[in-house]
Amino acid sequence: MASRAHQMITTMVRAFFPVLLLLLLLGARASAATGARRPLFREYIGANYKNVSLADVPVHPGVDFHFILAFAIDYAADPTNTSAPASPTDGRFVVYWDEAHLTPAAVAAAKHCSNGNNVRVALSLGGDTVHGANATFRASSVDAWLANAIVSLTDILTTYGLDGIDVDYEHFGESPEVFAECIGQLVRALRALGVISFASIAPFANPDVQAHYGELWRRYGPEFDYVNFQFYAYNANTTVTQFLGYYDEQSSRYAGGGGKVLLGLGTDPAGGGLRPDKGFFRACRALRSQGRLHGVFAWAADNSVADGFRYERVAQRFLAGDAPGFT
């Protein structure tokens, strides 16, 4: 019975996709014409279970703010053996973020109480680990994974009232070609069904990661609005000059599609990359002066709660033009 439902949804998506895509494109153009966009700030939240709620995170009225719930993963744990690692489920996604604090009601409240309707909320797929093991992308076939993913993610997205998805798989058990077709067709289908209005990817500088996301970008780049490149995954002694070089490299790699490369800001004191108090905002100013600063995202609210979201506040004020940021 479930298999027939999956087949029906997949058939409907493929049959009606051209018309639905045209309507979505026309709607996006009409929306873009209604006014200027604010600078973009995005924040991952919920992966580390630090009891952080959406209401805890400061939101500046001068930015467009995207919360990204981390993570939805197509893995399932064995309730009879809690010490056993979770197992892949071939595209049947379940929620692994902090459900106690990041509820559908909390999402609705954050969007309703936002300043100037500037808050949207997405979910992220995959992540690094699940129950202590790698959250590895696996698919028995493109068609089977896709059918399961469309059904399970549509349920989560609509239940939580979410606006978009982010793709953050970091380990791969399938070829770049299979990954690209599964993820690319998924995003295209969810857009066509009207379930999401934006999508992003979150790669970092690792050969296997870049091979998989590079193939996805080559085939489906126009489907993605943003590239949340994990610049904080570089060495902790990164300089401003090196950082700008990395930005040039990744902007060239992900050119030619629909997405804009955003600057990843790590708020973990033990994290890597160019630290916010060691030149991150100097690099931001340089890119903004060149008209190349498309936005900033932070990993993550769970790390930032201990110091009152200091860097989130500075980053948003910087983007909105209220403060120069750290030197």
Side-chain angles (χ1 to χ4, degrees), residues 56 58 303-313:
D56 293 331
N303 299 324
S304 304
V305 65
D307 69 353
F309 305 98
R310 177 189 183 194
Y311 296 129
E312 282 83 352
R313 296 178 192 277

Side-chain angles (χ1 to χ4, degrees), residues 61-87:
V63 302
D64 282 329
F65 195 110
H66 292 180
F67 285 106
I68 305 176
L69 309 182
F71 293 92
I73 313 176
D74 53 335
Y75 270 66
D78 182 355
T80 66
N81 185 3
T82 56
S83 63
S87 302

Side-chain angles (χ1 to χ4, degrees), residues 37-104:
R37 286 175 176 252
R38 288 166 289 213
L40 177 62
F41 183 82
R42 317 183 88 202
E43 175 99 62
Y44 289 89
I45 185 171
N48 296 331
Y49 288 78
K50 294 293 183 67
N51 301 326
V52 186
S53 69
L54 301 177
D56 293 331
V57 182
V59 175
H60 193 290
V63 302
D64 282 329
F65 195 110
H66 292 180
F67 285 106
I68 305 176
L69 309 182
F71 293 92
I73 313 176
D74 53 335
Y75 270 66
D78 182 355
T80 66
N81 185 3
T82 56
S83 63
S87 302
T89 55
D90 206 20
R92 297 176 180 87
F93 285 87
V94 295
V95 169
Y96 277 92
W97 61 71
D98 184 354
E99 291 184 90
H101 295 86
L102 306 175
T103 63

Side-chain angles (χ1 to χ4, degrees), residues 243-285:
F243 184 90
L244 293 173
Y246 296 149
Y247 180 83
D248 289 341
E249 177 187 354
Q250 302 309 330
S251 293
S252 176
R253 184 186 300 271
Y254 294 101
K260 297 176 172 62
V261 176
L262 308 183
L263 300 186
L265 170 64
T267 63
D268 182 353
L274 180 60
R275 301 295 301 161
D277 56 346
K278 300 293 185 181
F280 179 85
F281 291 101
R282 201 184 323 153
C284 287
R285 282 198 299 275

